Amino acid sequence: NELETQIKHFANVFVCFKKKMSNVVGVIYDTRCEYHLCHKEDREKDVFAAQWNNSALQQLLTMHKSSQTDKVEIMQAKYGSIEDLLRCHCKQYILEMESLCHTPLPTDDSSVEQFFKQHPKSESCQYNRASKVLDLDTIVCQHSYVVERLGAGALKELMQLVLAQKQQSGIMLGCGGHHGARDHAAGLCIFNTEAIAIRAIQSIHPDLKICIFDWDVHHGDGNEVEFWKDSKVLKISMHRLDGGGF
């Protein structure tokens, strides 16, 4: 399927850039992100694109084994901090997303576990009661805010491990955010996961040069706006044109 095809691309690229100091590939695979599923009554499939698929994970493990990667480390996502979110999103927008979520909101990784125990996945699928349309493509449910913070924290963690030479590379299944803007959601993206992680890493390594190579079919406009004037970040977007529709 489409997700497995994307993972093949990720795996092949990261294997090509293998570092000598470590043969560990970090993979964020967290079933809690399945709580971000929202349904409309007139659609048979989920409107949110991120699918945390176990069969795709097994495909990834098999490919890395065949390419003689020493180890694939499966990790859970870590809860991103408010401080990290505020580097890329305005406070009012974050508060708006909070208001759509179940309460009480988790404050750290331990309280995230309790949050998901109190609010089962079935609650996220009741569109009429628990979901809100933000734009033509983007719908949030009462789990979405927490899931998005998990995605932001996960990508930051992967980048830190690679920079510390504890992993050669990292792959995160789901929770992309390249359309997300500072004050609104767009194109299935609530928070700009990549931008949040990069800004957090820049606060630790201000001289680090970073490249975002984006081969999603759509233009990564949220990232482009965020880093347009940042000389330390190169954004490359490979996307369809179709008269400007992508």
Side-chain angles (χ1 to χ4, degrees):
N1 58 28
E2 183 179 352
L3 178 59
E4 291 175 340
T5 301
Q6 292 177 356
I7 289 176
K8 286 181 182 180
H9 285 301
F10 271 106
N12 290 334
V13 169
F14 283 122
V15 168
C16 289
F17 287 93
K18 185 165 56 177
K19 296 181 178 180
K20 294 181 180 179
M21 69 287 293
S22 172
N23 280 332
V24 177
V25 176
V27 177
I28 298 290
Y29 176 80
D30 197 323
T31 56
R32 294 176 298 180
C33 290
E34 294 176 359
Y35 285 65
H36 200 348
L37 302 181
C38 306
H39 293 267
K40 273 191 174 182
E41 291 179 343
D42 59 347
R43 299 188 189 182
E44 294 182 356
K45 61 182 182 180
D46 308 312
V47 296
F48 190 80
Q51 298 294 319
W52 297 66
N53 190 298
N54 184 62
S55 63
L57 175 66
Q58 297 306 316
Q59 176 82 8
L60 177 61
L61 293 171
T62 301
M63 285 188 295
H64 276 293
K65 185 176 180 180
S66 64
S67 63
Q68 299 182 346
T69 301
D70 287 355
K71 184 178 180 182
V72 174
E73 182 179 354
I74 309 299
M75 301 177 294
Q76 274 198 323
K78 288 194 173 183
Y79 200 47
S81 70
I82 287 291
E83 291 75 18
D84 287 345
L85 265 63
L86 284 169
R87 291 189 176 98
C88 296
H89 296 284
C90 63
K91 185 176 181 180
Q92 184 58 41
Y93 175 61
I94 295 173
L95 290 174
E96 179 185 351
M97 293 302 100
E98 285 184 357
S99 70
L100 302 176
C101 189
H102 287 298
T103 55
L105 289 169
T107 56
D108 52 28
D109 285 306
S110 60
S111 57
V112 168
E113 289 296 328
Q114 187 62 31
F115 173 85
F116 285 114
K117 287 180 181 178
Q118 291 177 344
H119 305 292
K121 189 193 305 183
S122 59
E123 293 184 11
S124 70
C125 298
Q126 299 179 31
Y127 170 75
N128 287 333
R129 180 174 63 83
S131 302
K132 179 179 179 180
V133 179
L134 300 183
D135 69 4
L136 182 63
D137 300 309
T138 313
I139 292 179
V140 295
C141 68
Q142 291 177 316
H143 297 88
S144 300
Y145 171 79
V146 175
V147 170
E148 287 289 306
R149 283 185 61 174
L150 285 173
L155 188 54
K156 175 185 175 181
E157 174 73 5
L158 284 176
M159 293 181 70
Q160 287 178 316
L161 290 170
V162 172
L163 287 170
Q165 300 181 1
K166 294 180 180 179
Q167 294 180 354
Q168 71 166 34
S169 56
I171 300 173
M172 185 173 73
L173 306 182
C175 282
H178 67 166
H179 296 303
R182 282 190 165 264
D183 60 355
H184 65 272
L188 304 175
C189 303
I190 298 170
F191 294 135
N192 196 319
T193 310
E194 299 89 349
I196 292 168
I198 290 173
R199 290 301 189 203
I201 293 298
Q202 285 182 321
S203 71
I204 304 169
H205 305 280
D207 295 325
L208 185 68
K209 293 185 177 181
I210 299 171
C211 174
I212 304 172
F213 188 85
D214 185 343
W215 61 66
D216 186 274
V217 68
H218 299 104
H219 174 213
D221 50 345
N223 285 340
E224 180 178 276
V225 172
E226 176 66 30
F227 297 109
W228 185 259
K229 296 182 179 180
D230 192 331
S231 61
K232 297 292 179 62
V233 178
L234 171 64
K235 168 62 187 273
I236 302 172
S237 182
M238 306 289 288
H239 55 273
R240 291 173 61 180
L241 179 60
D242 286 4
F246 281 77

